[in-house]
């Protein structure tokens, strides 16, 4: 009898490969593999590779029988022999043997015995690390993907066995990935049906991670950590999987992540979702980052009607992804990111206002909670837009600034691509504020080489439009955006807060010589900046912050853009602002008037020290000193206190409390400044922005108001009519009818054309043209009665006042100047 219980005669008749295989099994499985006979079997397999498939089939037959009989000792020996044969044989004939080997591994994984499952997994991992000489065109690993994924979700009642099986499943998935990626047919593993099993299995185990600090770049944990912690092993396998993903298959690996997070409701709270996408962004190749961002945006669109906290969680994940991707390649996703976020911003505002309208008249806690949640969504969108934009290269950031500005809705304009017509005035205002907040974050830290690059004309005009709106917060945001773009030397922090600075040199202001491009910009667009500062000071709802930002605007303009000509214009602007407070044609509250006076004092104090003209500094200092004694409410340190005693009127104040044009002209003229233009009062331009901004038109401020009606008593208007000639009407419109005054007026016009800059002349011409337009409109509004007199005359009636018929050809209008 032989060692295996087979008679010697029968054993001699058996094929040699079977005899060699039988000899490696000892009588007692506890003795382990017979090494001497294993060496003979290995030598035989290497010498006769055509026998490998038969050896493998016979080993598989024995192993299947031993598994059924629960002879696990012999199963261990058979798998050890298979492993050694795999390591020793690398010929092309090994392919059939591998099929037998995989069949045996599948038998072990199908068994319900944890030890056999772990044994089969270990053998498969060893096989996965073998580099085969030729690819296999028919081998598939569908069963192993399914089985290893199921093992990752093991719920065995014994925690130790559960952990052991889960680790085996993760290592098996890792082996499948390595084997298929190295194979030329690696695309099979990236098919959606496989990724839908692999990725959720890894994420299920990664949820046990407690150390959130490991969400950064890949680390190298020790082998012991990998074996003992399924979460660590799953994370490393996930990183390896993503690191091997290529352009065409990236989305297949990312989409199951969203399904897992949705199914397990992991967007709120979203700590795990954030850590997952950090791992993804750090693991994939940098040039594929935009694929992940696009997938997040696509999922945000899918979830646009989910709860606000879910949407906020997705947006926060996008922010984290953008924070990593913005430092590398972003690709074509830039505009898509901003367009999608702006769309969801509008949707969020619509939801918020819709809830408010539906609950009108009833105080509901749930509605208030929804509004609060929508604010979280909106803030997350703004933060993402700002962070993304601020990390873009300058050339892309300029495009994004234009893109966002083009989305800001303007009252009266229908060309905006972000539709807010159904939101009403409140919703439009909310969109305006949030878009400007986004733009503020995008412009933060932006350093353009020239101001023309920072404020191109197509961007400057729509940006300044909101500064005319009757909303102090909107005007504040516009000024802050301007500061970001104008301040190229980080001086704004030194100018924070409106105050009288004793010594400007202590601020250590940084500045460069004004470039030719900046000079050209101020010649073209300086009047626009002056105009918006001027009008901004006239708003009744201004608070301290508005005055502070206006002061900072003047100071930054002085630092960054002021040459001698601009300095003169800024002084003229400051004097015009002082006249606003003194004359008070707009009926501003006393706080606003004193605030404007304080603003002018703080700015002229800063300007005089910046240009360092002693006589100018002396005049400014003297006025400030006089104010501190006689009218402290004209200084920022006093007027902007919480409790400040305001004066009843400003009419009785002496001239020594005001900055005088003649004194300034005298002081600057002695230092070589061209001061002729100081005698020309500043007059702001008139543009179409006034009508679009829903504020009082500047025409109403600078035009001469003509009262056509003869009296203010309504009773008199009923009974009395007064017929006047057209000359009387002309005289009512033009108060300078005397010949001497006309001559003086013409002389001033000629002198102005000779000395004033072209931009100022153009501005005033435009103003006069609008005045004439308004006067014509007033006349045309009169009712034209049928002419009782001969043809060629007409009768004009305004209210109940009758005007004498005047021949049409005799109608004359005053000159523009």
């Amino acid at each position: 009898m032989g060692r295996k219980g087979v008679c010697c005669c029968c054993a001699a008749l058996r094929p040699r490969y079977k005899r060699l295989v039988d000899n490696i099994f000892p009588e007692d499985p506890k003795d382990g593999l017979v090494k001497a006979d294993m060496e003979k079997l290995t030598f035989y397999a290497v010498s006769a590779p055509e026998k490998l498939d038969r050896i493998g089939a016979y080993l598989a037959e024995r192993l299947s029988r031993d598994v059924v009989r629960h002879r696990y000792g012999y199963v261990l020996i058979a798998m050890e022999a298979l492993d050694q044969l795999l390591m020793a044989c690398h010929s092309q004939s090994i392919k059939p043997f591998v099929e037998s080997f995989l069949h045996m591994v599948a038998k072990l994984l199908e068994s319900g015995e944890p030890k056999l499952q772990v044994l089969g997994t270990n053998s498969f991992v060893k096989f996965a690390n073998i580099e085969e000489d030729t690819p296999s065109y028919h081998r598939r690993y569908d069963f192993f993907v399914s089985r290893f994924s199921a093992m990752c979700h093991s719920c065995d009642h014994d925690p130790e066995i559960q952990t052991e099986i889960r680790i085996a499943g993760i290592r098996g998935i890792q082996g499948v990935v390595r084997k298929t990626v190295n194979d030329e047919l690696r695309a099979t593993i990236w098919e959606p049906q496989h990724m839908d099993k692999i990725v959720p299995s890894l994420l299920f185990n990664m949820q046990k991670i407690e150390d959130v600090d490991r969400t950064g770049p890949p680390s190298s944990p020790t082998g012991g950590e990998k074996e003992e912690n399924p979460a660590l092993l799953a994370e490393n396998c996930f990183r390896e999987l993503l690191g091997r993903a290529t352009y065409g298959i990236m989305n297949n690996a990312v989409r199951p992540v969203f399904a897992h997070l949705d199914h397990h409701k992991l967007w709120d709270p979203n700590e795990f979702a954030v850590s997952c996408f950090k791992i993804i962004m750090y693991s994939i190749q940098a040039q594929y980052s935009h694929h992940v961002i696009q997938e997040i945006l696509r999922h945000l669109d899918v979830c646009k009607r989910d709860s606000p906290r879910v949407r906020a969680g997705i947006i926060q994940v996008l922010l984290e992804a953008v924070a990593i991707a913005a430092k590398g390649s972003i690709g074509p996703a830039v505009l898509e990111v901003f367009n999608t976020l702006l769309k969801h911003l509008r949707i969020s505002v619509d939801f918020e206002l819709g809830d408010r309208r539906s609950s009108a008249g009833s105080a509901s806690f749930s509605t208030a909670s929804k509004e609060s949640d929508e604010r979280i969504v909106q803030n997350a969108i703004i933060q993402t837009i700002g962070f993304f934009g601020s990390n873009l290269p300058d050339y892309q950031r300029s495009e994004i600034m234009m893109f966002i500005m083009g989305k800001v809705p303007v009252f009266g304009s229908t060309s905006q691509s972000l539709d807010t017509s159904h939101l009403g005035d409140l919703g439009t205002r909310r969109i305006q504020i949030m878009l400007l907040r986004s733009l503020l974050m995008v412009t933060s830290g932006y350093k353009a080489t020239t101001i023309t690059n920072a404020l191109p004309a197509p961007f400057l005009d729509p940006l300044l439009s909101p500064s005319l709106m009757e909303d102090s917060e909107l005007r504040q945001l516009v000024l802050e955006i301007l500061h970001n773009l104008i301040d190229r030397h980080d001086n704004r922090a030194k100018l924070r807060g409106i105050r009288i600075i004793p010594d400007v040199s202590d601020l250590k202001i940084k500045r460069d010589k004004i470039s030719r491009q900046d000079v050209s910009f101020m010649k073209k667009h300086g009047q626009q900046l002056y105009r918006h500062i001027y009008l901004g000071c006239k708003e009744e709802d201004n608070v301290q912050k508005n005055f502070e930002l206006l002061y900072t605007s003047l100071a930054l303009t002085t630092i960054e853009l002021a040459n001698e000509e601009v300095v003169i214009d800024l002084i003229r602007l400051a004097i015009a602002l002082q006249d606003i407070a003194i004359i008070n044609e707009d009926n501003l509250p006393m706080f606003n008037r004193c605030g404007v006076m304080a603003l002018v004092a703080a700015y002229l104090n800063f300007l005089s020290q910046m240009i360092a003209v002693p006589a100018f500094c002396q005049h400014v200092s003297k006025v400030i000193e006089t104010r501190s004694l006689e009218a402290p409410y004209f200084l920022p340190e006093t007027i902007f206190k919480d409790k400040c005693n305001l004066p009843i009127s400003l009419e009785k104040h002496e001239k020594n409390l005001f900055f005088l044009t003649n004194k300034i002209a005298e002081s600057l003229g002695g230092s070589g400044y061209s001061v002729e233009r100081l005698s020309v009062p500043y007059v702001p331009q008139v543009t179409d922005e006034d009508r679009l901004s829903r504020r009082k038109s500047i025409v109403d401020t600078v035009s001469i108001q003509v009262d056509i009606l003869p009296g203010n008593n309504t009773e008199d208007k009923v009974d009395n009519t007064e017929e006047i000639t057209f000359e009387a009407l002309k005289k009512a419109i033009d108060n300078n009818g005397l010949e001497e005054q006309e001559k003086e007026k013409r002389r001033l016009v000629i002198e102005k054309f000779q000395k004033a800059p072209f931009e100022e002349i153009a501005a005033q011409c435009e103003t006069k043209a609008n005045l004439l337009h308004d006067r014509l409109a007033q006349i045309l509004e009169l009712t034209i009665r049928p002419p009782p007199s001969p043809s060629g005359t007409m009768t004009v009636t305004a209210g109940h006042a009758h005007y004498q018929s005047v021949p049409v050809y005799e109608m004359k209008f005053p000159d523009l100047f």
Side-chain angles (χ1 to χ4, degrees):
M1 296 293 292
R3 186 171 53 182
K4 304 301 182 291
V6 182
C7 68
C8 297
C9 295
C10 294
L13 296 175
R14 293 170 62 82
R16 185 180 179 187
Y17 72 89
K18 288 187 177 182
R19 284 182 280 133
L20 292 173
V21 169
D22 290 338
N23 291 338
I24 65 173
F25 291 91
E27 291 289 344
D28 187 354
K30 295 181 180 179
D31 295 336
L33 183 68
V34 180
K35 294 182 179 180
D37 290 328
M38 186 64 216
E39 291 177 358
K40 294 178 182 179
L41 178 61
T42 303
F43 179 78
Y44 177 77
V46 172
S47 302
E50 67 278 2
K51 299 294 185 179
L52 270 174
D53 59 334
R54 299 182 183 181
I55 295 173
Y58 184 60
L59 275 171
E61 180 185 344
R62 288 197 56 129
L63 183 136
S64 299
R65 186 170 60 249
D66 292 336
V67 168
V68 172
R69 297 175 180 178
H70 300 283
R71 299 169 63 179
Y72 299 139
Y74 289 123
V75 172
L76 294 175
I77 294 173
M79 292 307 301
E80 185 178 355
L82 283 168
D83 293 342
Q84 291 191 25
L85 289 174
L86 279 174
M87 298 299 295
C89 302
H90 297 285
S91 65
Q92 295 182 357
S93 302
I94 201 174
K95 300 301 178 185
F97 176 75
V98 170
E99 298 302 324
S100 300
F101 166 78
L102 294 177
H103 177 70
M104 287 184 280
V105 171
K107 284 288 185 182
L108 297 179
L109 296 178
E110 286 177 335
S111 68
E113 181 63 34
K115 291 183 179 179
L116 296 185
Q117 294 178 357
V118 173
L119 177 63
T121 302
N122 292 337
S123 295
F124 183 85
V125 171
K126 292 177 183 178
F127 162 71
N129 292 325
I130 297 175
E131 295 185 7
E132 299 183 49
D133 296 334
T134 57
S136 176
Y137 294 99
H138 61 281
R139 189 186 308 154
R140 296 186 63 88
Y141 298 93
D142 300 18
F143 167 80
F144 296 99
V145 170
S146 300
R147 189 58 194 161
F148 288 138
S149 298
M151 291 169 64
C152 289
H153 292 83
S154 173
C155 296
D156 194 278
H157 62 277
D158 187 341
E160 293 185 1
I161 295 177
Q162 179 187 108
T163 300
E164 188 177 12
I165 295 176
R166 288 188 179 184
I167 289 176
I170 297 169
R171 294 180 67 242
I173 289 177
Q174 195 172 30
V176 172
V177 171
R178 290 176 179 176
K179 190 64 179 176
T180 53
V181 167
N182 292 330
D183 198 321
E184 290 187 4
L185 297 181
R186 58 187 177 275
T188 56
I189 194 63
W190 298 106
E191 293 175 358
Q193 63 265 29
H194 299 321
M195 288 291 103
D196 290 343
K197 299 174 183 176
I198 293 174
V199 173
S201 301
L202 298 176
L203 295 178
F204 176 76
N205 287 275
M206 287 168 58
Q207 285 178 244
K208 306 299 181 181
I209 295 179
E210 297 178 356
D211 184 7
V212 296
D213 294 335
R214 291 183 303 97
T215 55
S219 57
S220 299
T222 62
E225 289 178 339
K226 289 183 180 180
E227 293 295 335
E228 296 174 1
N229 194 334
L232 281 171
L233 186 61
E235 180 189 327
N236 281 278
C237 182
F238 189 51
R239 290 182 186 274
E240 184 176 351
L241 175 70
L242 295 168
R244 296 174 183 271
T246 57
Y247 178 81
I249 55 182
M250 175 61 64
N251 294 342
N252 291 344
V254 175
R255 287 176 183 171
V257 177
F258 294 105
H260 180 82
L261 297 175
D262 288 341
H263 180 71
H264 292 278
K265 297 180 173 57
L266 296 174
W267 294 112
D268 177 34
N270 68 337
E271 287 79 5
F272 179 72
V274 170
S275 66
C276 278
F277 278 92
K278 282 186 176 181
I279 291 172
I280 292 172
M281 297 304 294
Y282 279 119
S283 301
I284 63 176
Q285 300 180 47
Q287 64 267 30
Y288 303 148
S289 297
H290 63 277
H291 280 292
V292 180
I293 294 175
Q294 287 173 333
E295 288 299 318
I296 300 175
L297 293 173
R298 187 176 291 111
H299 194 70
L300 182 60
D301 285 337
V302 172
C303 301
K304 64 182 179 182
R305 297 198 174 276
D306 286 9
S307 68
R309 292 191 174 272
V310 169
R311 286 181 281 127
I314 299 174
I315 294 168
Q316 187 177 356
V317 167
L318 177 64
L319 173 61
E320 298 294 340
V322 160
I324 300 171
K327 300 174 183 177
S329 172
I330 305 174
V334 176
L335 287 180
E336 183 180 355
V337 170
F338 287 99
N339 197 40
T340 303
L341 289 175
L342 293 178
K343 179 180 68 176
H344 283 277
L345 188 63
R346 182 188 58 78
I347 292 173
S348 177
V349 173
D350 195 10
F351 286 160
E352 178 187 357
L353 297 179
D355 293 336
R356 186 178 300 175
R357 286 190 293 266
S358 63
S359 61
S362 62
S364 172
F365 174 79
S366 60
T367 301
S369 177
K370 286 183 179 179
E371 290 183 6
S372 177
D373 291 345
E374 290 296 344
R375 293 294 177 92
I376 295 175
V377 175
Q378 295 159 17
N379 290 332
I381 293 174
I382 292 171
Q383 187 179 7
T384 305
I385 290 175
F387 191 89
F388 196 3
S390 62
N391 282 278
L392 290 173
D394 286 346
Y395 72 93
Q396 279 188 325
R397 203 190 309 198
S398 299
E399 295 177 358
I400 295 306
M401 288 160 50
M402 296 284 293
F403 180 77
I404 296 177
M405 198 66 243
K407 296 288 186 179
V408 177
V410 178
F411 291 111
S413 175
T414 58
S415 61
Q416 302 299 324
S417 55
L418 193 63
D419 182 22
T420 59
S421 57
H422 65 287
L423 297 179
D425 290 352
L426 179 60
T428 301
R429 177 186 176 275
R430 291 277 299 147
I431 292 292
Q432 288 171 334
I433 289 177
M434 287 184 286
L435 289 179
L436 289 177
R437 285 175 56 193
S438 304
L439 188 58
L440 178 64
M441 296 189 68
V442 171
T443 57
S444 178
Y446 181 55
K447 297 292 187 298
T449 54
T450 63
I451 196 66
T452 306
N453 294 336
L455 290 170
F459 177 74
L460 179 63
D461 293 337
L463 174 64
L464 293 179
S465 293
S467 70
L468 300 177
M469 294 183 181
E470 295 178 335
D471 190 297
S472 61
E473 186 176 358
L474 281 173
R475 300 195 302 274
Q476 292 171 12
L477 289 170
V478 172
L479 290 174
E480 289 177 331
I481 293 168
L482 277 176
H483 298 169
N484 282 345
L485 298 173
I486 295 176
D487 184 20
R488 292 170 288 176
H489 296 87
D490 298 322
N491 292 311
R492 183 174 31 167
K494 304 171 185 177
L495 301 168
R496 186 168 296 143
I498 180 172
R499 64 195 188 281
I500 303 297
I501 303 173
D503 189 354
V504 174
S505 62
D506 292 341
L507 300 181
K508 298 181 179 179
I509 298 292
K510 298 178 182 178
R511 63 185 306 189
D512 294 330
K513 185 178 179 181
I514 307 301
S515 66
R516 186 176 301 175
Q517 293 87 345
D518 292 345
V519 172
S520 176
F521 173 85
M522 290 304 291
K523 287 184 177 180
K524 293 180 180 178
H525 305 290
Q527 293 297 326
Q528 282 181 273
L529 296 177
Y530 305 151
R531 172 178 185 267
H532 287 268
I533 293 174
Y534 179 85
L535 296 178
C537 291
K538 299 176 66 174
E539 298 292 346
E540 294 185 5
D541 61 342
N542 279 341
V543 295
Q544 179 179 349
K545 184 176 181 181
N546 290 90
F547 289 111
E548 290 178 353
L549 294 173
L550 289 165
Y551 162 75
T552 305
S553 300
L554 289 168
L556 289 175
T557 303
T558 304
I559 296 170
E560 298 286 348
L561 302 170
N563 56 6
E564 181 178 322
E565 183 178 344
V566 174
V567 167
I568 297 299
D569 286 337
L570 290 170
I571 294 175
R572 292 175 57 231
L573 175 61
I575 298 301
L577 294 177
Q578 180 178 255
D579 292 340
I580 289 176
I582 297 173
I583 301 173
N584 195 27
E585 293 180 346
D586 296 274
N587 295 320
L588 294 175
M590 186 56 67
F591 169 79
N592 295 63
R593 298 172 68 185
C594 293
V596 173
M597 297 291 282
L599 166 65
V600 174
Y603 173 64
L604 289 181
N605 172 70
F606 176 82
L607 176 63
S608 62
Q609 296 185 56
M610 287 296 293
I611 64 177
V613 176
F616 186 26
C617 294
Q618 184 178 0
H619 171 65
V620 173
S621 299
K622 185 176 180 180
V623 173
I624 292 174
E625 183 179 354
T626 306
R627 288 185 178 186
S628 64
L629 297 175
E630 301 180 14
Y633 39 78
F634 283 169
L635 298 177
E637 289 81 0
T638 302
I639 186 61
F640 295 125
K641 287 183 178 179
D642 293 336
K643 295 181 180 180
C644 174
N645 295 323
L646 299 175
I648 299 176
S649 66
L650 304 183
E651 285 71 18
K652 297 181 180 180
H653 287 79
E654 300 293 335
K655 288 187 178 181
N656 57 0
L657 293 176
F658 306 135
F659 301 99
L660 304 178
T661 304
N662 59 342
K663 293 283 188 181
I664 296 175
E666 181 182 347
S667 62
L668 293 179
S671 298
Y673 279 81
S674 178
V675 296
E676 290 82 2
R677 290 191 301 115
L678 283 177
S679 60
V680 181
Y682 170 75
V683 178
Q685 302 180 39
V686 181
T687 69
D688 291 338
E689 293 173 353
D690 304 291
R691 291 189 295 274
L692 298 179
S693 60
R694 283 194 176 181
R695 74 181 305 280
K696 187 188 298 183
S697 174
I698 183 64
V699 175
D700 298 334
T701 305
V702 300
S703 62
I704 301 174
Q705 300 297 324
V706 180
D707 187 4
I708 300 180
L709 301 179
N712 295 325
N713 193 327
T714 56
E715 296 179 0
D716 295 338
K717 294 177 184 177
V718 174
D719 300 327
N720 299 329
T721 59
E722 180 183 357
E723 293 191 6
I724 61 174
T725 64
F726 187 77
E727 293 298 328
L729 178 60
K730 177 181 177 182
K731 185 176 180 180
I733 297 176
D734 186 2
N735 294 324
N736 297 325
L738 298 177
E739 185 177 354
E740 292 79 11
Q741 292 176 336
E742 288 290 340
K743 290 180 180 180
E744 178 65 18
K745 185 177 179 182
R746 293 179 185 280
R747 188 189 65 80
L748 291 175
V749 170
I750 294 172
E751 182 180 354
K752 181 174 182 179
F753 270 94
Q754 291 174 342
K755 297 180 179 181
F758 174 77
E759 291 80 6
E760 183 178 339
I761 295 172
Q764 191 155 355
C765 285
E766 187 175 3
T767 301
K768 294 293 184 177
N770 281 276
L771 292 178
L772 181 58
H773 179 272
D774 290 347
R775 293 170 186 169
L776 287 172
Q778 290 175 349
I779 293 173
L780 293 176
E781 287 177 359
L782 304 176
T783 305
I784 302 178
R785 295 182 178 179
S789 52
S791 177
T793 63
M794 68 177 181
T795 302
V796 181
T797 302
H800 296 275
H802 181 264
Y803 295 88
Q804 184 177 355
S805 301
V806 181
V808 176
Y809 59 84
E810 290 184 8
M811 285 189 176
K812 298 179 182 179
F813 297 94
D815 297 330
L816 291 179
F817 296 97

